[in-house]
Amino acid sequence: MNRLLLVEDESLVRMVAREVFQDDGFEVLEAETGDEAIQMLDDLDHVDIVVTDVRMPGRHDGVDVALHARLRFPRVPVIVATGYATNIRDRLRQFDPSAVLVEKPYRLDRLAELARALSGSPQNNQ
């Protein structure tokens, strides 16, 4: 089972996303802020994919989370979701391999398909 770190400050969105990812076969770890996600990444021995919102409370945003994830796990796939794509594209250019930008609003089932494809997780046939 692939381990997914979900970083989202809106509790309802996080709860629904967690269920969708779990139904798709992921072990889901959750963080409400970028600060919390960075702490979690420091304590993990591995993560197979990171899905993060950009804008959230705290010192660190989703791009900071993505950068930290890549420092800890250099090839981990990263999906960054935002409603403010213009300035985020420039910040994501530094990623190699590239981070995937998903613009809001998005469909959670499509996000789960993308996460499965990027992480190499086999399709859940439930």
Side-chain angles (χ1 to χ4, degrees):
M1 179 178 300
N2 280 0
R3 181 182 286 173
L4 180 145
L5 175 59
L6 173 63
V7 190
E8 171 61 60
D9 62 312
E10 294 184 38
S11 59
L12 185 59
V13 172
R14 193 174 61 252
M15 180 184 72
V16 173
R18 179 190 64 231
E19 289 177 11
V20 169
F21 287 125
Q22 285 175 333
D23 288 347
D24 217 44
F26 287 97
E27 172 193 357
V28 179
L29 306 174
E30 298 175 58
E32 188 173 352
T33 67
D35 302 345
E36 182 183 352
I38 285 172
Q39 268 188 321
M40 288 178 73
L41 284 162
D42 284 342
D43 293 336
L44 292 174
D45 61 351
H46 85 280
V47 65
D48 296 298
I49 189 161
V50 175
V51 178
T52 183
D53 189 15
V54 172
R55 295 179 63 143
M56 60 189 102
R59 277 189 24 221
H60 299 287
D61 69 6
V63 177
D64 295 332
V65 170
L67 285 168
H68 195 79
R70 284 287 176 81
L71 286 172
R72 291 272 298 129
F73 311 104
R75 311 258 339 138
V76 69
V78 176
I79 299 173
V80 177
T82 186
Y84 309 95
T86 305
N87 62 341
I88 298 304
R89 288 184 200 284
D90 291 336
R91 291 181 65 199
L92 294 179
R93 284 198 174 101
Q94 63 190 306
F95 284 82
D96 182 30
S98 62
V100 177
L101 180 66
V102 175
E103 295 186 42
K104 292 180 177 180
Y106 53 79
R107 288 183 36 190
L108 281 171
D109 60 334
R110 299 279 188 207
L111 194 62
E113 286 176 18
L114 179 59
R116 187 175 55 240
L118 292 172
S119 69
S121 178
Q123 183 167 358
N124 186 3
N125 293 321
Q126 290 184 346

